[in-house]
Amino acid sequence: MPNSVKITIIKSMQEIQRYNFRESEQKWQQFWQENKSFEVSNEELANSPSYYVLEMFPYPSGNIHIGHVRNYTLGDVLARYKKAKGFKVLHPMGWDAFGLPAENAAIERKIHPGVWTYKNIETMREQLKSIGLAYDWTREFATCSPDYYKHEQKFFLDFLKNGIAYRKESDVNWDPVDNTVLANEQVIDGRGWRSGAIVERKKLSQWFLRISDFAEDLLQGLTTLTDWPEKVLTMQERWIGKSKGAKVDFAIVGQDGNLSVFTTRPDTLFGMSFCAISPRHPLAIKLAETNPELAEFISECNRIGTSEEAIEKADKLGFDSGLKVTNPFNSQQYPIYVANFVLMEYGTGAIFGCPAHDQRDFDFATKYNLPILQVIDNGKNEPLKEAYSGDGVLINSGFLNGLNVADSKEKAIAKLQELGKGEETINYRLRDWGVSRQRYWGCPIPIIYCDKCGIVTVPEQDLPVELPQDATFDQTGNPLAYHPTWKHVNCPTCGGAAERETDTFDTFFESSWYFARYCDSKNEQAIGKGANKILPVDKYIGGVEHAVLHLLYARFFTRALNKCGYLDVVEPFKGLMTQGMVCHETYKDSAGNWLYPEDIVKKDGIWVDKANGQPVTVGRSEKMSKSKRNTVDPRDIIANYGADTARLFMLSDSPPDRDLEWTDSGIDGAWRYVNRLWRLILEQHALISPECDEATALKLRKETHKAIKNIGEDIERLAFNKAIARLRELTNLFASLQDAKLGDARLETINAIIRLISPFMPHLAEELWQQIGNKQSLADAAWLEYDPALCVEDQVTIAVQVNGKLRATINCAPDLAQSEIEALAMQEKNVIEFTANKEIKKVIYVKGKIVNIVAA
């Protein structure tokens, strides 16, 4: 044990005092840092069995919150356990440091975003260290550092060379508060994901990444992710949105052109009553040039939310364009409407409406008094009151009559191809990723615009293109666009006057490859060669809210880097765990204002406001949020109870993927258990003697080895709450044997308990380990081995059913013959009663679990 750790071994029960967590936690955190306990070299990772544990890195907002404590503790348990199991563990931490909050802070506080960001990083780093997390801090970086973002500028240049990046003018989601473009995924219910402002539509020239080219590969890749939650796979599958259907070309009456429509229901073409196009469809825009009323209608449509959810919730509105199309199957003519519910981003930006079999079309047809013709028999001989979307036989459909839906789809597509009016088509909901953002605090896009040469890439030797440090924030919009000097530059090709691109990258650009940088974070190359031996990440931990945005982008980005020769892997994360939220009751005062938990106190059995003694309304438990003030500051918890207590509570009260209910009684209970462990181990250690009751000692040894086996398996399965429950069972048994003669079994159990708690409560474990006389740090100790012979159950409990209903249970040796087990079952009093005067038809035995007697 190094000299920096003071050894004060307690020698008798009289010396045992309350556990001093403040002294212990500070001591061991310093020890781990000085001894580089969790640092690992690239050579070790590349040449030894390795394991990569990673939690989604935080945005440096100023202080950690309880969600951080839970997220990072989950990863820490796994990292410590895998290290003890002999793996070289990569467990890094860094900072997702670009983004609008820093820019907004600069405006509010009149400081540079970098100053605000790095100050927050210093604060949060120390707070994270206070939790006792087993990080390799030598790999730390902030994505706002030019040493980091210079590499993604090079990526972008390579993406351009490989056809993955391109520029086009397009309709964009514009946040009028943050004054920036938002990706579709960043528009929530028609509002900006950060500002909450209603999103508008604008046309801008933007840079895009061709994520849509990877749609099928991203979809098929989901089948390989067997260690991902099913709900996340489903969310990604839906977002990619593969649809099989047909492209139908409707002739526009009186014009030479066609209106092309993608549909998944070509079987319902005979039930058509209208076509509808997006307000942003080229045909709608052309018609609006000479139709002021249509132009105003399109403007109104552009002011509603842009997300599919917002459009679905909006009242379905249409504008009759005056044009008609001809149905290729029945040659009848139908009107073309401009409709607010048709997305330009999906299919062709046009649909045909079959009101009888699509509820949205039904509502629209009802509103505008359009025909509703049923073409699929629903088995009811009555007018439709709502759309019927089920299966059935085709009716009123000419050559499709009598076919079921599946067969009619095939025949309809074949007929369209025969007529030259369509073809079978696969469509994806996924759209290319617009990465341009109109803000300062982001990675500059390495592009120069020259009047003579056009779009010119910044030469590689001139990277990084750094942000100017003298930007001002006294105007609305992007400070780079009105900077007096930064954007003005000579063209690298002709030497003439030119301008830099003033847009910066979407911050998801940074988080889409950071996991690869950790593999060799100090390398001059973006991604060191060893990354291909370390990646993919074995276990990635973070919130389910990132299921589409971050995780899908990271999967795409890894494929793009693979295509450009940076990586051999295509999937970044082998295993994924999405942890639940931390929840707390909500409180309101008599005026309906939210109150913090520390603002209230219980008097005479009811909660009252500390400020005025008035009763408080206690609301339901919800995700902790500053807006509802139902937060608990982890700094206070660590200061009053210690990091190990906070860790224990986070791990023990709920499965990691479920929401955790924060309660004062819960944290108090965890604190009591920490102190109970402290006293139990030291008191038991003081009782060690050679005297031994063999039967009792054997019982303890069996339970100890079962705990070693089961807790290890629980950790592997991330069932940390079950592991804690088993620890409590073992310590309860051990406490009950305080006065027993246990011989060597006592010390064996003491050692086991300390080792078993070490991933969960590392400071307490290290302190107890030292107290009982060990000199090696548990951070360097191997995980315990269990004796399989001691883990065999002496007895099993078997349920006995009669005709499927439980009537008795029997306890017997696990290796007892089936015939003997059946005989024991038949002797049970309840079994005899419920089989009396009945013939035993058969007996079904499920080994070690159930005997089911079928009697009649």
Side-chain angles (χ1 to χ4, degrees):
M1 188 70 67
N3 293 331
S4 59
V5 176
K6 183 181 179 183
I7 300 176
T8 54
I9 297 176
I10 297 172
K11 297 179 181 179
S12 69
M13 284 189 284
Q14 287 73 28
E15 296 180 54
I16 298 173
Q17 298 175 350
R18 190 172 184 172
Y19 174 52
N20 187 337
F21 70 85
R22 293 183 180 87
E23 179 181 300
S24 177
E25 291 181 359
Q26 183 179 7
K27 175 176 73 174
W28 289 107
Q29 288 164 19
Q30 181 181 346
F31 171 83
W32 295 326
Q33 180 174 328
E34 290 177 355
N35 289 273
K36 303 178 181 180
S37 297
F38 307 114
E39 294 180 19
V40 60
S41 70
N42 297 331
E43 291 72 26
E44 288 175 315
L45 290 168
N47 300 317
S48 305
S50 64
Y51 196 89
Y52 190 174
V53 183
L54 183 63
E55 305 93 41
M56 295 179 186
F57 64 170
Y59 182 80
S61 57
N63 290 296
I64 62 172
H65 54 68
I66 281 292
H68 288 135
V69 178
R70 189 182 195 200
N71 188 32
Y72 302 140
T73 298
L74 294 174
D76 195 62
V77 171
L78 188 59
R80 287 175 176 274
Y81 170 77
K82 287 294 183 180
K83 185 175 186 293
K85 290 291 285 184
F87 291 90
K88 297 299 180 184
V89 174
L90 176 57
H91 189 213
M93 174 50 68
W95 310 95
D96 191 10
F98 270 140
L100 279 168
E103 202 157 329
N104 292 337
I107 297 169
E108 293 169 10
R109 297 168 175 81
K110 302 187 184 304
I111 60 173
H112 190 274
V115 174
W116 184 82
T117 298
Y118 281 106
K119 181 180 179 181
N120 289 344
I121 287 174
E122 289 180 16
T123 300
M124 291 180 69
R125 183 191 299 117
E126 293 310 306
Q127 291 173 356
L128 288 178
K129 286 183 176 180
S130 74
I131 306 172
L133 302 169
Y135 286 136
D136 181 351
W137 285 101
T138 65
R139 297 172 185 269
E140 177 189 14
F141 56 75
T143 59
C144 62
S145 166
D147 287 340
Y148 180 85
Y149 67 70
K150 70 179 180 183
H151 298 300
E152 61 193 44
Q153 291 176 343
K154 175 62 165 57
F155 293 158
F156 182 75
L157 300 181
D158 288 335
F159 289 170
L160 278 170
K161 292 176 187 176
N162 285 272
I164 298 171
Y166 68 100
R167 183 176 174 83
K168 71 173 182 178
E169 185 175 73
S170 67
D171 291 311
V172 298
N173 304 309
W174 181 258
D175 188 315
V177 172
D178 284 336
N179 288 305
T180 187
V181 170
L182 302 177
N184 286 335
E185 297 91 335
Q186 294 168 316
V187 180
I188 311 299
D189 293 330
R191 296 178 179 272
W193 73 312
R194 287 197 185 277
S195 72
I198 295 176
V199 172
E200 301 170 353
R201 300 295 295 186
K202 268 192 176 185
K203 262 198 180 301
L204 288 177
S205 288
Q206 300 283 288
W207 289 100
F208 288 83
L209 299 184
R210 296 186 193 276
I211 188 173
S212 63
D213 284 0
F214 295 77
E216 185 63 27
D217 189 29
L218 288 165
L219 188 62
Q220 293 303 315
L222 294 175
T223 64
T224 69
L225 301 176
T226 57
D227 194 19
W228 278 43
E230 194 64 36
K231 62 182 177 183
V232 175
L233 298 176
T234 299
M235 291 168 74
Q236 290 215 0
E237 182 179 356
R238 288 176 178 169
W239 192 262
I240 295 168
K242 182 177 182 179
S243 302
K244 291 183 179 181
K247 180 175 76 70
V248 184
D249 293 325
F250 293 94
I252 301 176
V253 177
Q255 296 189 13
D256 293 333
N258 292 322
L259 178 65
S260 293
V261 169
F262 171 78
T263 177
T264 60
R265 297 301 304 272
D267 53 307
T268 63
L269 271 165
F270 281 99
M272 173 182 180
S273 65
F274 67 93
C275 270
I277 59 177
S278 165
R280 294 182 290 281
H281 192 283
L283 179 58
I285 294 171
K286 182 179 179 182
L287 292 172
E289 292 174 358
T290 56
N291 189 330
E293 291 183 20
L294 176 57
E296 177 55 31
F297 176 77
I298 290 174
S299 295
E300 289 179 12
C301 293
N302 287 340
R303 285 193 287 271
I304 72 169
T306 57
S307 70
E308 289 183 39
E309 292 83 0
I311 290 172
E312 279 300 313
K313 292 176 183 177
D315 189 23
K316 307 299 182 288
L317 300 175
F319 186 98
D320 191 340
S321 71
L323 296 178
K324 294 181 182 291
V325 295
T326 302
N327 186 323
F329 281 176
N330 60 17
S331 300
Q332 294 186 24
Q333 296 178 0
Y334 300 95
I336 300 176
Y337 280 80
V338 180
N340 66 345
F341 60 85
V342 182
L343 292 168
M344 192 62 214
E345 292 79 10
Y346 183 77
T348 63
I351 65 153
F352 83 85
C354 178
H357 305 292
D358 182 284
Q359 190 59 45
R360 177 197 60 191
D361 297 348
F362 187 96
D363 295 341
F364 188 80
T366 302
K367 184 181 183 74
Y368 292 100
N369 198 28
L370 299 170
I372 299 175
L373 176 65
Q374 185 174 350
V375 294
I376 300 173
D377 189 359
N378 64 349
K380 299 178 181 179
N381 189 22
E382 59 185 37
L384 292 173
K385 295 180 180 178
E386 61 182 13
Y388 173 68
S389 58
D391 202 354
V393 174
L394 272 287
I395 58 175
N396 302 320
S397 296
F399 67 91
L400 298 177
N401 282 339
L403 296 176
N404 61 32
V405 169
D407 291 341
S408 64
K409 284 182 179 180
E410 291 186 14
K411 192 165 184 177
I413 292 172
K415 188 68 172 179
L416 287 168
Q417 291 173 329
E418 178 187 327
L419 296 171
K421 291 295 184 180
E423 60 185 1
E424 186 173 24
T425 305
I426 293 176
N427 189 69
Y428 296 92
R429 178 179 181 270
L430 185 65
R431 290 292 169 264
D432 283 346
W433 176 12
V435 295
S436 299
R437 298 293 180 270
Q438 293 66 45
R439 62 158 181 263
Y440 167 78
W441 194 237
C443 172
I445 299 175
I447 293 294
I448 293 170
Y449 299 102
C450 175
D451 289 340
K452 180 179 178 181
C453 304
I455 296 175
V456 181
T457 58
V458 173
E460 185 177 338
Q461 64 269 21
D462 292 342
L463 300 180
V465 177
E466 294 192 39
L467 292 168
Q469 295 300 306
D470 57 347
T472 58
F473 301 89
D474 52 358
Q475 302 180 44
T476 59
N478 183 1
L480 295 178
Y482 54 76
H483 193 282
T485 60
W486 180 85
K487 68 179 181 178
H488 300 290
V489 65
N490 292 330
C491 173
T493 302
C494 71
E499 288 191 1
R500 294 189 186 280
E501 170 66 81
T502 57
D503 288 352
T504 55
F505 285 130
D506 179 6
T507 54
F508 283 103
F509 212 98
E510 283 83 57
S511 60
S512 292
W513 72 281
Y514 79 107
F515 46 86
R517 184 62 179 164
Y518 279 138
C519 296
D520 194 356
S521 62
K522 301 300 185 288
N523 199 313
E524 282 299 311
Q525 301 299 314
I527 301 171
K529 293 180 180 179
N532 287 313
K533 293 185 178 181
I534 300 168
L535 291 172
V537 175
D538 291 284
K539 190 65 70 176
Y540 195 40
I541 302 171
V544 73
E545 65 271 20
H546 300 293
V548 171
L549 282 164
H550 164 55
L551 291 172
L552 187 61
Y553 287 156
R555 293 183 63 225
F556 154 67
F557 213 91
T558 304
R559 284 164 167 78
L561 291 175
N562 173 275
K563 183 175 180 179
C564 295
Y566 285 95
L567 284 171
D568 294 340
V569 299
V570 293
E571 289 292 349
F573 313 119
K574 179 182 177 182
L576 174 70
M577 181 177 72
T578 53
Q579 90 282 359
M581 303 294 185
V582 183
C583 303
H584 197 293
E585 284 182 337
T586 52
Y587 311 102
K588 284 186 176 180
D589 64 16
S590 56
N593 300 311
W594 298 107
L595 294 172
Y596 286 108
E598 59 265 29
D599 294 335
I600 65 174
V601 66
K602 186 169 273 189
K603 286 186 177 180
D604 300 325
I606 63 169
W607 290 106
V608 298
D609 189 338
K610 283 183 181 178
N612 54 30
Q614 294 297 309
V616 167
T617 300
V618 180
R620 67 180 183 181
S621 179
E622 298 185 43
K623 173 191 172 184
M624 286 190 183
S625 68
K626 292 180 181 178
S627 62
K628 294 183 178 178
R629 299 192 171 188
N630 62 333
T631 57
V632 174
D633 192 331
R635 294 172 296 175
D636 293 340
I637 299 301
I638 292 170
N640 293 321
Y641 294 97
D644 281 344
T645 298
R647 290 169 64 112
L648 176 64
F649 178 66
M650 290 291 179
L651 297 166
S652 61
D653 267 37
S654 178
D657 60 340
R658 305 279 181 84
D659 289 349
L660 171 70
E661 178 70 21
W662 183 275
T663 62
D664 290 341
S665 60
I667 194 70
D668 286 338
W671 170 234
R672 287 194 300 272
Y673 184 65
V674 165
N675 281 281
R676 183 179 172 223
L677 268 174
W678 171 256
R679 292 191 303 271
L680 174 66
I681 296 302
L682 296 182
E683 288 171 357
Q684 288 279 27
H685 191 259
L687 293 173
I688 289 175
S689 73
E691 296 182 81
C692 183
D693 178 335
E694 295 294 341
T696 306
L698 180 60
K699 176 184 177 181
L700 179 61
R701 293 198 68 217
K702 281 178 173 287
E703 294 307 314
T704 299
H705 281 260
K706 288 176 191 175
I708 296 169
K709 175 180 181 293
N710 293 331
I711 288 171
E713 292 172 353
D714 288 337
I715 295 174
E716 294 278 4
R717 294 194 303 266
L718 309 182
F720 302 141
N721 60 312
K722 289 185 178 180
I724 297 294
R726 294 188 203 276
L727 272 170
R728 288 181 180 270
E729 289 174 5
L730 180 60
T731 52
N732 287 341
L733 172 65
F734 196 35
S736 72
L737 300 176
Q738 181 98 359
D739 299 324
K741 299 173 182 178
L742 299 173
D744 293 340
R746 191 184 303 275
L747 183 57
E748 181 183 34
T749 299
I750 288 171
N751 288 337
I753 290 174
I754 297 174
R755 302 275 282 282
L756 290 172
I757 69 170
S758 62
F760 309 102
M761 296 168 276
H763 310 89
L764 176 65
E766 291 275 21
E767 191 67 26
L768 286 170
W769 194 242
Q770 182 194 77
Q771 288 295 328
I772 67 171
N774 294 290
K775 295 187 177 181
Q776 181 194 33
S777 166
L778 279 177
D780 300 317
W783 191 250
L784 290 167
E785 297 291 337
Y786 63 86
D787 184 344
L790 292 173
C791 295
V792 175
E793 295 288 346
D794 294 328
Q795 283 193 331
V796 292
T797 300
I798 296 176
V800 182
Q801 297 177 341
V802 177
N803 294 331
K805 293 186 177 180
L806 181 66
R807 299 303 182 189
T809 59
I810 56 176
N811 295 315
C812 61
D815 56 352
L816 196 64
Q818 179 175 341
S819 59
E820 295 179 80
I821 291 172
E822 291 177 5
L824 288 172
M826 296 301 297
Q827 295 169 19
E828 287 292 318
K829 182 180 178 181
N830 260 6
V831 173
I832 293 171
E833 179 182 342
F834 284 96
T835 58
N837 302 317
K838 294 180 181 179
E839 181 184 353
I840 306 300
K841 296 292 187 181
K842 60 180 175 179
V843 178
I844 303 168
Y845 175 56
V846 180
K847 188 173 181 179
K849 294 182 179 180
I850 297 172
V851 174
N852 188 21
I853 301 164
V854 181

